[in-house]
PDB file of all heavy atoms in Angstrom:
ATOM      1  N   LEU A  79      87.999 111.553  75.862  1.00  0.00           N
ATOM      2  CA  LEU A  79      88.817 110.451  76.353  1.00  0.00           C
ATOM      3  C   LEU A  79      89.996 110.270  75.423  1.00  0.00           C
ATOM      4  O   LEU A  79      89.910 110.592  74.228  1.00  0.00           O
ATOM      5  CB  LEU A  79      88.029 109.142  76.505  1.00  0.00           C
ATOM      6  CG  LEU A  79      87.553 108.360  75.292  1.00  0.00           C
ATOM      7  CD1 LEU A  79      87.438 106.893  75.651  1.00  0.00           C
ATOM      8  CD2 LEU A  79      86.196 108.857  74.854  1.00  0.00           C
ATOM      9  N   ASP A 109      92.045 105.743  80.102  1.00  0.00           N
ATOM     10  CA  ASP A 109      92.109 104.448  80.788  1.00  0.00           C
ATOM     11  C   ASP A 109      93.478 104.251  81.443  1.00  0.00           C
ATOM     12  O   ASP A 109      94.397 103.731  80.823  1.00  0.00           O
ATOM     13  CB  ASP A 109      91.861 103.311  79.789  1.00  0.00           C
ATOM     14  CG  ASP A 109      90.420 103.266  79.329  1.00  0.00           C
ATOM     15  OD1 ASP A 109      89.598 102.673  80.039  1.00  0.00           O
ATOM     16  OD2 ASP A 109      90.114 103.843  78.259  1.00  0.00           O
ATOM     17  N   PHE A 153      89.376 105.735  83.903  1.00  0.00           N
ATOM     18  CA  PHE A 153      88.309 104.733  83.848  1.00  0.00           C
ATOM     19  C   PHE A 153      88.797 103.486  84.575  1.00  0.00           C
ATOM     20  O   PHE A 153      89.002 102.427  83.990  1.00  0.00           O
ATOM     21  CB  PHE A 153      87.927 104.425  82.405  1.00  0.00           C
ATOM     22  CG  PHE A 153      87.606 105.661  81.605  1.00  0.00           C
ATOM     23  CD1 PHE A 153      88.350 105.995  80.487  1.00  0.00           C
ATOM     24  CD2 PHE A 153      86.569 106.505  81.982  1.00  0.00           C
ATOM     25  CE1 PHE A 153      88.077 107.140  79.754  1.00  0.00           C
ATOM     26  CE2 PHE A 153      86.289 107.658  81.261  1.00  0.00           C
ATOM     27  CZ  PHE A 153      87.049 107.975  80.146  1.00  0.00           C
ATOM     28  N   ARG A 167      88.701  89.819  80.210  1.00  0.00           N
ATOM     29  CA  ARG A 167      88.862  90.972  81.091  1.00  0.00           C
ATOM     30  C   ARG A 167      89.046  90.571  82.549  1.00  0.00           C
ATOM     31  O   ARG A 167      89.135  91.440  83.419  1.00  0.00           O
ATOM     32  CB  ARG A 167      87.697  91.945  80.909  1.00  0.00           C
ATOM     33  CG  ARG A 167      87.624  92.442  79.477  1.00  0.00           C
ATOM     34  CD  ARG A 167      86.740  93.638  79.306  1.00  0.00           C
ATOM     35  NE  ARG A 167      87.437  94.869  79.664  1.00  0.00           N
ATOM     36  CZ  ARG A 167      86.966  96.089  79.406  1.00  0.00           C
ATOM     37  NH1 ARG A 167      85.795  96.230  78.795  1.00  0.00           N
ATOM     38  NH2 ARG A 167      87.635  97.173  79.738  1.00  0.00           N
ATOM     39  N   LYS A 206      83.890 100.435  87.430  1.00  0.00           N
ATOM     40  CA  LYS A 206      83.277  99.884  86.227  1.00  0.00           C
ATOM     41  C   LYS A 206      83.378  98.374  86.270  1.00  0.00           C
ATOM     42  O   LYS A 206      84.196  97.849  87.031  1.00  0.00           O
ATOM     43  CB  LYS A 206      83.941 100.467  84.972  1.00  0.00           C
ATOM     44  CG  LYS A 206      85.350  99.935  84.698  1.00  0.00           C
ATOM     45  CD  LYS A 206      85.986 100.655  83.528  1.00  0.00           C
ATOM     46  CE  LYS A 206      87.275  99.960  83.111  1.00  0.00           C
ATOM     47  NZ  LYS A 206      88.005 100.654  82.070  1.00  0.00           N
ATOM     48  N   HIS A 207      82.566  97.670  85.523  1.00  0.00           N
ATOM     49  CA  HIS A 207      81.498  98.120  84.629  1.00  0.00           C
ATOM     50  C   HIS A 207      80.208  97.732  85.319  1.00  0.00           C
ATOM     51  O   HIS A 207      80.013  96.536  85.591  1.00  0.00           O
ATOM     52  CB  HIS A 207      81.606  97.448  83.262  1.00  0.00           C
ATOM     53  CG  HIS A 207      82.975  97.631  82.623  1.00  0.00           C
ATOM     54  ND1 HIS A 207      84.067  96.880  82.911  1.00  0.00           N
ATOM     55  CD2 HIS A 207      83.404  98.527  81.692  1.00  0.00           C
ATOM     56  CE1 HIS A 207      85.108  97.269  82.185  1.00  0.00           C
ATOM     57  NE2 HIS A 207      84.734  98.260  81.445  1.00  0.00           N
ATOM     58  N   MET A 250      80.797 103.617  85.536  1.00  0.00           N
ATOM     59  CA  MET A 250      80.584 103.399  84.106  1.00  0.00           C
ATOM     60  C   MET A 250      79.563 102.284  83.943  1.00  0.00           C
ATOM     61  O   MET A 250      79.694 101.223  84.545  1.00  0.00           O
ATOM     62  CB  MET A 250      81.893 103.003  83.417  1.00  0.00           C
ATOM     63  CG  MET A 250      81.765 102.892  81.895  1.00  0.00           C
ATOM     64  SD  MET A 250      83.297 102.283  81.113  1.00  0.00           S
ATOM     65  CE  MET A 250      84.392 103.678  81.365  1.00  0.00           C
ATOM     66  N   PHE A 253      78.413  97.090  79.188  1.00  0.00           N
ATOM     67  CA  PHE A 253      77.894  96.705  77.875  1.00  0.00           C
ATOM     68  C   PHE A 253      76.795  95.641  77.958  1.00  0.00           C
ATOM     69  O   PHE A 253      75.951  95.557  77.086  1.00  0.00           O
ATOM     70  CB  PHE A 253      79.024  96.111  77.028  1.00  0.00           C
ATOM     71  CG  PHE A 253      80.016  97.107  76.477  1.00  0.00           C
ATOM     72  CD1 PHE A 253      81.377  96.924  76.650  1.00  0.00           C
ATOM     73  CD2 PHE A 253      79.588  98.214  75.744  1.00  0.00           C
ATOM     74  CE1 PHE A 253      82.303  97.818  76.112  1.00  0.00           C
ATOM     75  CE2 PHE A 253      80.501  99.107  75.198  1.00  0.00           C
ATOM     76  CZ  PHE A 253      81.855  98.909  75.382  1.00  0.00           C
ATOM     77  N   ASP A 285      79.461 103.130  78.836  1.00  0.00           N
ATOM     78  CA  ASP A 285      80.650 102.604  78.179  1.00  0.00           C
ATOM     79  C   ASP A 285      80.611 103.055  76.704  1.00  0.00           C
ATOM     80  O   ASP A 285      79.604 103.592  76.222  1.00  0.00           O
ATOM     81  CB  ASP A 285      80.748 101.077  78.326  1.00  0.00           C
ATOM     82  CG  ASP A 285      82.201 100.608  78.203  1.00  0.00           C
ATOM     83  OD1 ASP A 285      83.027 101.351  77.635  1.00  0.00           O
ATOM     84  OD2 ASP A 285      82.520  99.497  78.664  1.00  0.00           O
ATOM     85  N   TYR A 286      81.705 102.811  76.016  1.00  0.00           N
ATOM     86  CA  TYR A 286      81.943 103.273  74.645  1.00  0.00           C
ATOM     87  C   TYR A 286      80.780 102.905  73.709  1.00  0.00           C
ATOM     88  O   TYR A 286      80.557 101.722  73.447  1.00  0.00           O
ATOM     89  CB  TYR A 286      83.217 102.595  74.156  1.00  0.00           C
ATOM     90  CG  TYR A 286      84.045 103.348  73.153  1.00  0.00           C
ATOM     91  CD1 TYR A 286      85.155 104.069  73.545  1.00  0.00           C
ATOM     92  CD2 TYR A 286      83.733 103.291  71.808  1.00  0.00           C
ATOM     93  CE1 TYR A 286      85.944 104.735  72.616  1.00  0.00           C
ATOM     94  CE2 TYR A 286      84.513 103.958  70.879  1.00  0.00           C
ATOM     95  CZ  TYR A 286      85.616 104.678  71.293  1.00  0.00           C
ATOM     96  OH  TYR A 286      86.393 105.331  70.384  1.00  0.00           O
ATOM     97  N   MET A 317      79.271 108.283  76.235  1.00  0.00           N
ATOM     98  CA  MET A 317      80.619 108.136  75.695  1.00  0.00           C
ATOM     99  C   MET A 317      80.533 107.810  74.208  1.00  0.00           C
ATOM    100  O   MET A 317      79.971 106.789  73.821  1.00  0.00           O
ATOM    101  CB  MET A 317      81.383 107.036  76.443  1.00  0.00           C
ATOM    102  CG  MET A 317      82.856 106.922  76.069  1.00  0.00           C
ATOM    103  SD  MET A 317      83.699 105.461  76.731  1.00  0.00           S
ATOM    104  CE  MET A 317      83.953 105.870  78.439  1.00  0.00           C
ATOM    105  N   TRP A 424      96.080  97.130  77.850  1.00  0.00           N
ATOM    106  CA  TRP A 424      95.582  98.358  78.506  1.00  0.00           C
ATOM    107  C   TRP A 424      96.703  99.071  79.241  1.00  0.00           C
ATOM    108  O   TRP A 424      96.587  99.342  80.437  1.00  0.00           O
ATOM    109  CB  TRP A 424      94.509  98.028  79.530  1.00  0.00           C
ATOM    110  CG  TRP A 424      93.097  98.028  79.065  1.00  0.00           C
ATOM    111  CD1 TRP A 424      92.202  97.055  79.354  1.00  0.00           C
ATOM    112  CD2 TRP A 424      92.372  99.030  78.323  1.00  0.00           C
ATOM    113  NE1 TRP A 424      90.980  97.370  78.808  1.00  0.00           N
ATOM    114  CE2 TRP A 424      91.059  98.574  78.174  1.00  0.00           C
ATOM    115  CE3 TRP A 424      92.728 100.260  77.748  1.00  0.00           C
ATOM    116  CZ2 TRP A 424      90.088  99.302  77.482  1.00  0.00           C
ATOM    117  CZ3 TRP A 424      91.761 100.988  77.065  1.00  0.00           C
ATOM    118  CH2 TRP A 424      90.462 100.499  76.950  1.00  0.00           C
ATOM    119  N   GLU A 492      90.045  93.390  76.827  1.00  0.00           N
ATOM    120  CA  GLU A 492      88.742  93.513  76.174  1.00  0.00           C
ATOM    121  C   GLU A 492      88.691  92.734  74.865  1.00  0.00           C
ATOM    122  O   GLU A 492      89.681  92.696  74.116  1.00  0.00           O
ATOM    123  CB  GLU A 492      88.431  94.989  75.907  1.00  0.00           C
ATOM    124  CG  GLU A 492      87.009  95.162  75.407  1.00  0.00           C
ATOM    125  CD  GLU A 492      86.603  96.615  75.206  1.00  0.00           C
ATOM    126  OE1 GLU A 492      87.333  97.516  75.632  1.00  0.00           O
ATOM    127  OE2 GLU A 492      85.519  96.818  74.615  1.00  0.00           O
TER     128      GLU A 492
HETATM  129  C1  BGC B 801      85.835  99.581  77.677  1.00  0.00           C
HETATM  130  C2  BGC B 801      85.964 100.443  78.924  1.00  0.00           C
HETATM  131  C3  BGC B 801      86.864 101.618  78.647  1.00  0.00           C
HETATM  132  C4  BGC B 801      86.293 102.389  77.476  1.00  0.00           C
HETATM  133  C5  BGC B 801      87.073 103.637  77.152  1.00  0.00           C
HETATM  134  C6  BGC B 801      85.483 100.404  76.463  1.00  0.00           C
HETATM  135  O1  BGC B 801      85.583  99.653  75.291  1.00  0.00           O
HETATM  136  O2  BGC B 801      84.856  98.589  77.910  1.00  0.00           O
HETATM  137  O3  BGC B 801      86.452  99.676  79.982  1.00  0.00           O
HETATM  138  O4  BGC B 801      86.984 102.419  79.785  1.00  0.00           O
HETATM  139  O5  BGC B 801      86.284 101.547  76.347  1.00  0.00           O
HETATM  140  O6  BGC B 801      88.289 103.361  76.600  1.00  0.00           O
END
Side-chain angles (χ1 to χ4, degrees):
L79 71 153
D109 289 276
F153 308 119
R167 300 194 82 169
K206 73 186 190 185
H207 306 82
M250 186 185 291
F253 285 129
D285 205 339
Y286 210 99
M317 187 190 284
W424 269 134
E492 188 176 349

